[in-house]
Amino acid sequence: MEDDKLLKDWQEPTLQWDEKKARRMVWKARFTLWRNIIHILLIIWFLYALYMMAIQIGYKQLGKEETLVRYATTLIETHYSGLKVGKWERPTVELSPWLTQETTMPLYKQIGKWELVVGSVTVKKPFWGEMSYQINYQQKELDDRDGTFKFALPRSLTGDSPIKERKEQERIWDQLKHISDGYVAEMALSSINPQTPEQMRKLLSKYDVSILQMPVYAGELKTFEPSHSRGDETYVPFLVLRPEVLYDEESRLSQTTADLTESVESAEKQFIPDLEYVLANGESRFEIYDEPRLAYLKKHGITVYGALVTGPVRELEKLRQDPEFHEFRLGRIEVWNW
């Protein structure tokens, strides 16, 4: 009974809610939460910085930066006519956390004696997989879409009947006729018959022009069939014989030559090793064609069927007089710099 009386007389203590104290507790909890989040982020950032530092150091020690630049430069210059990649100013290669390599290099054309920047190429190489690249060409005219040229295959290589009469391209010659002497230009031309590089050089040695590139026949339509267009003449994707470019054992650029006018023999010796290097050091969309091309070139040697040249417009007009040349294509025109 006495216990019941005690329980009856018991009164629950009244809790006094302190609003200021409650706010203090909430802010303290928030501060602790954000402090922990910041600590975690700082730790993640620190680990990320250590990781990036480690892979950058390892990347440079392995020499992958030079390998990527050499590979991309060789691939583009042996597969795209009319374009060269800026090589002497060493490009910066960025490495992503996922080990994707990326660099941007300038593209240029040689018009006369000037090397004119006409765009850039951005190259990406994932740790696994095929290299991709984006050519950003500064289009000057509607017809000048990508700055490259195409060349007509000699009919002796396609099995077609020989050319009875060369088709004259009056529009090109009329355009040149109205240009004054103070200009230089680039011009692509095809040869009616296949030639060795040295034979092509001799044919062009009569003219005051620089030989920049030559299209190489590597078994197209004979040992394999790439996509091609056929009309009065046949056009196929082709390899490009470029001036000599030398690298050291660590893939660093050591020497370049401006044109093929004096270096065609050394460029010819370098061509097959260049193609082997491209096939051995990466994957590209050209690989399906380049493997049979390499086998054909090793067996039959290098044959060309045209050239890309640059020089004064009056000298380019003289090329019309040579019966061996046809399918002329006029490229960019610049003020005199010869």
Side-chain angles (χ1 to χ4, degrees):
M1 294 294 291
E2 188 174 347
D3 290 341
D4 291 341
K5 185 178 179 180
L6 288 172
L7 289 172
K8 187 176 180 182
D9 294 338
W10 173 262
Q11 291 184 356
E12 290 284 343
T14 304
L15 295 176
Q16 298 293 327
W17 180 255
D18 190 335
E19 188 172 345
K20 288 184 178 180
K21 188 176 181 181
R23 285 180 181 174
R24 229 180 283 122
M25 291 174 62
V26 169
W27 280 109
K28 186 177 181 180
R30 287 179 179 176
F31 174 77
T32 303
L33 176 63
W34 281 108
R35 183 185 60 188
N36 292 339
I37 291 174
I38 290 171
H39 284 171
I40 292 171
L41 290 176
L42 286 173
I43 292 170
I44 292 173
W45 178 84
F46 180 71
L47 293 175
Y48 172 78
L50 286 179
Y51 167 73
M52 291 300 298
M53 188 182 300
I55 64 173
Q56 289 287 354
I57 292 172
Y59 178 68
K60 289 193 177 294
Q61 288 180 342
L62 290 172
K64 293 296 184 181
E65 184 174 295
E66 288 80 7
T67 301
L68 175 69
V69 172
R70 178 181 177 183
Y71 176 81
T73 299
T74 305
L75 178 73
I76 291 169
E77 291 190 343
T78 55
H79 290 79
Y80 289 87
S81 62
L83 298 177
K84 294 183 178 183
V85 180
K87 296 178 280 293
W88 281 114
E89 291 186 8
R90 187 177 177 182
T92 300
V93 179
E94 297 178 356
L95 193 64
S96 77
W98 317 115
L99 303 182
T100 296
Q101 307 167 60
E102 181 175 346
T103 186
T104 298
M105 298 177 286
L107 289 175
Y108 69 92
K109 282 178 171 289
Q110 184 176 333
I111 314 294
K113 300 299 182 182
W114 286 350
E115 295 177 343
L116 303 177
V117 176
V118 294
S120 63
V121 56
T122 299
V123 182
K124 291 184 180 181
K125 177 66 172 68
F127 185 71
W128 297 108
E130 181 178 313
M131 184 192 80
S132 63
Y133 57 92
Q134 177 68 45
I135 292 178
N136 306 301
Y137 180 70
Q138 297 171 3
Q139 186 176 347
K140 198 171 182 180
E141 303 169 9
L142 286 176
D143 292 337
D144 181 29
R145 287 184 173 84
D146 59 9
T148 62
F149 297 91
K150 60 182 182 178
F151 299 83
L153 271 179
R155 296 191 178 188
S156 61
L157 296 176
T158 62
D160 296 327
S161 57
I163 295 176
K164 294 180 180 179
E165 185 177 356
R166 184 178 71 176
K167 181 176 68 174
E168 295 296 336
Q169 297 165 279
E170 296 297 339
R171 186 180 67 84
I172 290 178
W173 307 120
D174 184 64
Q175 185 178 0
L176 283 176
K177 183 175 68 176
H178 286 85
I179 299 174
S180 68
D181 293 349
Y183 288 87
V184 294
E186 61 177 346
M187 176 176 280
L189 54 90
S190 301
S191 61
I192 291 176
N193 299 295
Q195 311 281 340
T196 67
E198 178 59 22
Q199 287 172 333
M200 181 61 68
R201 187 197 68 78
K202 286 182 178 179
L203 283 171
L204 291 165
S205 65
K206 297 175 287 186
Y207 311 99
D208 184 20
V209 297
S210 291
I211 307 169
L212 304 178
Q213 297 171 338
M214 296 180 187
V216 175
Y217 179 71
E220 291 87 357
L221 302 182
K222 186 173 288 186
T223 59
F224 69 99
E225 188 159 333
S227 58
H228 62 281
S229 60
R230 186 185 290 269
D232 293 336
E233 304 297 338
T234 302
Y235 301 90
V236 296
F238 56 89
L239 295 172
V240 176
L241 181 66
R242 63 173 181 168
E244 183 182 39
V245 180
L246 297 180
Y247 295 87
D248 63 18
E249 294 180 354
E250 297 179 351
S251 292
R252 291 178 299 198
L253 184 66
S254 61
Q255 181 180 327
T256 63
T257 308
D259 56 49
L260 292 169
T261 309
E262 301 296 335
S263 68
V264 69
E265 185 178 350
S266 57
E268 189 175 356
K269 289 179 180 178
Q270 182 199 351
F271 186 72
I272 289 178
D274 275 347
L275 194 56
E276 290 175 330
Y277 182 87
V278 167
L279 286 170
N281 287 276
E283 300 174 359
S284 74
R285 63 187 182 91
F286 298 111
E287 187 174 359
I288 191 173
Y289 294 160
D290 287 349
E291 288 181 349
R293 281 169 168 164
L294 179 60
Y296 181 90
L297 291 169
K298 285 184 173 181
K299 184 176 181 180
H300 299 280
I302 297 176
T303 298
V304 300
Y305 54 97
L308 175 64
V309 301
T310 184
V313 293
R314 298 287 81 86
E315 285 296 316
L316 297 180
E317 284 181 314
K318 295 177 184 178
L319 294 169
R320 182 185 190 183
Q321 302 167 7
D322 198 315
E324 177 59 28
F325 301 143
H326 72 139
E327 290 296 310
F328 298 92
R329 300 181 185 278
L330 184 62
R332 290 204 176 191
I333 302 167
E334 295 293 336
V335 295
W336 183 267
N337 61 87
W338 193 247

